[in-house]
Amino acid sequence: MFDGLGLLFGGITHFLNPVSLFNIAWATLLGIIIGALPGLTATMGVALLVTLTYKMSPDQAILCLMCLYSGAIYGGSRTAILLAIPGTPASAATTLDGHPLALQGKAGLAMGLATTSSALGTVVGIFFLALIAPLLAEAALRFGTYEFFWLALFGVVISGQLTAMDDPLKGYIAGILGLLIAMIGMETLHAHQRFTFGIAALGGGVDLIPAMVGAFGFAEILGVMKRRAQARVVTAGDRVVPRFGEVLKYWKTTLRSGVIGTFVGIVPGVGEDVGAWASYAAAKRASKERKLFGRGSQEGLIAAETGNSAVVPGAMIPTLTLALPGSAAAAVLIAAMFIHGIRPGPLLMTENPQFLYQIVAILLFSTLAILVFGLSLTRPLLTVLMVPRERLMPIVYVLCVVGSFAITQRMFDVYVMVAFGLIGFLLREMKYPMAPLVLGIILGDLLDLNLRRGLLLTNGDPSPFFTRPISAVICLTIVFTILMSIPAVSSRVRALFVRNTGRAGSV
Amino acid sequence: MDDREAGPAGPDMVGQDAEDGARMVRADLLAGLFFVVLGVAILYASWTMPRLEARRIHPMTIPGLVPGLLSVALVICGGVLAFRSSRAHAPGGWRALGSIFTSEAALRAGAVAGLALIYTLGLVGLVPFWAATAIFVAAFILVFEVWLAEPRRPLLESLPWAVGLAIVTAIVVTLVFERAFLVRLP
């Protein structure tokens, strides 16, 4: 306990120097701007910034990336409130009540509440990150090859199930495609090259960063430019800094949304958008002012913004302790950590325990920066929203090209980016979620290696995959998740429960 | 969940939603069939992948094992998607799907893709990176502000912006990456 506090104090003081504070300031501000600009998402921002930070020292690079990540998740709320279009998918739930508030002349209040809620959401998430991550890392030390195989599969299945907009089947297909993409290149057990078709550049497999820049950058540009009209900006006339009473009035909602957001973050590959929707739905169910939801409810806005921001620290829990990305942006962070020689996973707490607390400190600092910038820079951020996309998007595309080229300096990576952009766009148009695809790419190697290594250890006997207690639990969860996504099965299970409760009620 | 059971083209869907739903049903059918074909191709490639007998590896650890299993999963999921879509009622779905390729949205997305491909596959490497970037940025702005905008802007109004931004982007990107980050640009 006191070790943890000492490490946390060490993490905070580690960044109390002018260079770090400067990096926190610009990265968070850049994140807010990226989040606020429709079409630029947190994942895309983090993927592009990896290129710009890879010559920095590891701690400063991760500092910049984390600050940009949490800044962008918050920045999306600004667009949601003033333009009624989410700046990032994470703010989709914020539009429901944020924009009606703005139309009622309360844009300032809405922006202020979004800022404080984001900050409080991150704080709740940080608390759980500091509490749960060390425990999970310790538990994960007992995980072996069999458990890691199931965990990788679980990550892809649950992400496919929860991020698909209306059809888990499409989520699963996206996940399988991601896993198949990970099969390209040299496999690690016997060093055999698979699916390279004689192309030497494919020997190392498909790099995650160009793939992400394509799927989240170029695809997004195509999606944004496809639409003709640009929304009108509502301006704010009232005060932005909220009163204490306004912030604390719905403290139960804040706490509940923070906890929901954190736990959504922990689920692999399920990101901020789901965190916001889940918190919003829970707040609506529990609220006494249910009728106001969707018409400018402050409680709804608080729930959505607290929920999406709490996902950021929550997502870092599996990312750091299991190397399973908690969200799409966290997948890029894992890639960035590897570039900088940091190995997330169960051994992190043994090899590099101060790193976890540095992440906690970074999130605390970025929260402070969000509060300061969010409550003070109302006018400049309004100007950002008015930048025409016709002039912004070509510059973003140039950054996508340079960003994918810069890391390994191969044109091949630029072609990968373009291919992923075009395929990603088509898949999105057909309502396939991108998160399981990305998770598949990052977890494919883990799944492949651990399945075959497990079979090698047992001389071909698959039974330990099903008989070891933790393996069995994860396996059953996967089976249950898949079965429940089949409409015929889930409706029967539901009917069973309804009948039982109905009978119990009548007795 | 109930919506899902009713299918994308449920009886209560009207107008634009119904057309979108019908279009998606047909798109799903094509996509499902494509995934089945892709899955079968990967399964064949996995089956015929070298099993490294000469190195005496365990037959359960052959390189083709996991891609083979994944391809089976893809065939199953693609098959379910195609089967489900083929049974769903989607009046006018094929027509709606065809019309999307001639819509304005397709033209705009096609223009972005075209410009991006010309820049990435054609200009970069042919002319210096800064020049390619400047041409791309100026062309992009002009295409979307003058020709594909509604209402269109006069060329003389857009041109200074397009040229100015093109020059600034080319200089800043080249300087920042080559001087500050020491990246050799393509």
Side-chain angles (χ1 to χ4, degrees):
Chain A
M1 178 76 187
F2 288 107
D3 282 356
L5 278 178
L7 285 166
L8 178 61
F9 184 71
I12 292 172
T13 49
H14 182 80
F15 293 112
L16 275 179
N17 55 66
V19 176
S20 305
L21 294 176
F22 173 70
N23 284 337
I24 291 164
W26 73 257
T28 311
L29 188 60
L30 184 66
I32 296 175
I33 292 172
I34 287 178
L37 287 165
L40 305 193
T41 61
T43 313
M44 175 189 190
V46 177
L48 285 177
L49 195 66
V50 171
T51 328
L52 296 180
T53 50
Y54 86 115
K55 292 236 163 113
M56 287 182 167
S57 63
D59 58 335
Q60 294 299 324
I62 301 298
L63 171 82
C64 294
L65 295 171
M66 288 293 306
C67 286
L68 182 120
Y69 178 20
S70 51
I73 294 302
Y74 158 71
S77 70
R78 194 72 27 145
T79 330
I81 293 166
L82 299 177
L83 260 79
I85 36 174
T88 65
S91 312
T94 313
T95 48
L96 294 186
D97 286 302
H99 191 63
L101 274 171
L103 291 177
Q104 291 162 21
K106 294 180 191 161
L109 174 69
M111 288 190 282
L113 282 180
T115 312
T116 48
S117 307
S118 287
L120 289 173
T122 316
V123 170
V124 174
I126 290 172
F127 172 76
F128 284 108
L129 169 63
L131 194 76
I132 298 176
L135 300 176
L136 189 60
E138 204 177 305
L141 283 175
R142 268 177 278 157
F143 289 8
T145 288
Y146 315 100
E147 285 77 19
F148 270 105
F149 161 72
W150 286 119
L151 269 180
L153 192 62
F154 173 72
V156 177
V157 167
I158 197 85
S159 170
Q161 157 91 358
L162 294 181
T163 58
M165 281 140 266
D166 53 0
D167 193 352
L169 186 61
K170 291 187 177 176
Y172 297 151
I173 291 177
I176 296 168
L177 289 177
L179 289 170
L180 281 168
I181 291 164
M183 297 299 117
I184 297 171
M186 191 178 293
E187 51 95 20
T188 28
L189 199 62
H190 305 302
H192 178 74
Q193 294 213 346
R194 296 187 292 206
F195 305 112
T196 52
F197 308 106
I199 303 168
L202 275 178
V206 175
D207 270 352
L208 187 75
I209 300 286
M212 295 284 276
V213 171
F216 288 87
F218 185 28
E220 197 75 50
I221 296 174
L222 286 163
V224 169
M225 291 310 297
K226 183 189 84 162
R227 290 188 292 271
R228 193 205 296 167
Q230 198 163 11
R232 256 192 52 231
V233 180
V234 181
T235 47
D238 57 332
R239 60 179 276 158
V240 176
V241 182
R243 293 182 179 83
F244 253 110
E246 288 166 338
V247 177
L248 296 179
K249 186 177 169 195
Y250 298 107
W251 65 272
K252 277 187 193 163
T253 306
T254 305
L255 208 59
R256 187 193 318 109
S257 308
V259 173
I260 293 174
T262 309
F263 283 90
V264 168
I266 295 175
V267 180
V270 182
E272 300 79 15
D273 45 345
V274 179
W277 285 118
S279 310
Y280 187 82
K284 194 173 175 182
R285 257 199 308 275
S287 175
K288 288 175 195 149
E289 304 165 356
R290 207 171 300 170
K291 282 186 183 157
L292 277 177
F293 274 66
R295 292 179 193 160
S297 157
Q298 294 179 24
E299 194 178 0
L301 174 72
I302 289 173
E305 273 305 300
T306 315
N308 69 20
S309 293
V311 170
V312 178
M316 295 315 291
I317 297 173
T319 306
L320 293 173
T321 55
L322 299 169
L324 287 183
S327 65
V332 193
L333 281 171
I334 290 189
M337 284 177 200
F338 276 112
I339 290 174
H340 287 285
I342 301 163
R343 283 196 311 144
L347 287 176
L348 185 84
M349 286 306 285
T350 325
E351 290 173 350
N352 197 359
Q354 64 276 22
F355 183 68
L356 170 75
Y357 293 93
Q358 285 177 6
I359 294 281
V360 172
I362 290 171
L363 285 165
L364 279 173
F365 280 120
S366 76
T367 308
L368 281 177
I370 284 172
L371 268 179
V372 173
F373 290 136
L375 296 179
S376 62
L377 297 178
T378 317
R379 287 263 148 229
L381 285 174
L382 206 63
T383 327
V384 167
L385 292 188
M386 293 179 180
V387 175
R389 57 197 178 136
E390 289 82 6
R391 294 177 191 167
L392 180 69
M393 289 303 157
I395 301 172
V396 174
Y397 183 73
V398 171
L399 291 178
C400 289
V401 171
V402 181
S404 17
F405 178 81
I407 291 181
T408 47
Q409 318 237 329
R410 305 187 295 180
M411 267 317 272
F412 178 76
D413 286 333
V414 180
Y415 304 144
V416 168
M417 183 276 289
V418 172
F420 270 80
L422 293 173
I423 296 168
F425 173 69
L426 282 180
L427 288 176
R428 273 172 200 227
E429 288 295 298
M430 291 195 286
K431 306 262 185 283
Y432 289 84
M434 286 292 108
L437 182 97
V438 169
L439 210 65
I441 300 176
I442 209 162
L443 295 181
D445 204 31
L446 194 74
L447 182 137
D448 176 41
L449 180 66
N450 283 302
L451 174 65
R452 291 186 299 138
R453 192 160 57 191
L455 289 170
L456 185 68
L457 289 173
T458 58
N459 212 10
D461 175 19
S463 57
F465 282 98
F466 305 98
T467 51
R468 283 168 63 109
I470 303 173
S471 283
V473 170
I474 310 175
C475 171
L476 285 175
T477 317
I478 294 171
V479 173
F480 180 73
T481 311
I482 296 176
L483 284 179
M484 283 303 280
S485 66
I486 302 170
V489 177
S490 71
S491 60
R492 283 201 186 120
V493 172
R494 267 159 218 247
L496 208 67
F497 274 98
V498 171
R499 212 175 299 149
N500 281 347
T501 33
R503 217 174 276 163
S506 62
V507 170
Chain B
M1 197 58 77
D2 295 329
D3 295 345
R4 196 181 298 155
E5 277 168 52
D12 55 335
M13 297 180 89
V14 282
Q16 189 59 42
D17 281 354
E19 194 182 305
D20 285 348
R23 176 188 297 149
M24 194 56 79
V25 167
R26 293 301 171 228
D28 284 350
L29 176 61
L30 290 183
L33 291 175
F34 172 76
F35 290 133
V36 170
V37 173
L38 181 69
V40 170
I42 298 172
L43 184 60
Y44 175 76
S46 310
W47 185 258
T48 51
M49 198 177 278
R51 299 186 184 177
L52 312 178
E53 286 99 341
R55 283 161 59 183
R56 298 204 178 157
I57 64 164
H58 194 283
M60 288 291 272
T61 68
I62 51 169
L65 177 75
V66 176
L69 292 175
L70 289 173
S71 65
V72 171
L74 186 65
V75 170
I76 293 172
C77 288
V80 171
L81 186 70
F83 178 70
R84 206 182 58 182
S85 306
S86 70
R87 287 186 31 157
H89 184 56
W94 289 117
R95 199 168 10 89
L97 185 63
S99 70
I100 206 163
F101 293 100
T102 52
S103 66
E104 196 201 335
L107 175 70
R108 295 177 64 93
V112 177
L115 285 167
L117 288 178
I118 292 171
Y119 169 56
T120 321
L121 307 181
L123 287 177
V124 174
L126 194 71
V127 292
F129 184 75
W130 61 266
T133 301
I135 295 170
F136 168 71
V137 173
F140 193 104
I141 295 174
L142 288 178
V143 165
F144 280 95
E145 284 196 349
V146 180
W147 285 288
L148 290 175
E150 194 69 44
R152 292 178 179 188
R153 274 169 182 258
L155 180 65
L156 284 180
E157 195 184 297
S158 237
L159 195 64
W161 269 106
V163 173
L165 265 180
I167 294 172
V168 171
T169 311
I171 293 175
V172 170
V173 168
T174 312
L175 280 185
V176 165
F177 280 89
E178 286 202 330
R179 298 287 154 84
F181 298 111
L182 303 175
V183 173
R184 187 180 52 83
L185 289 171

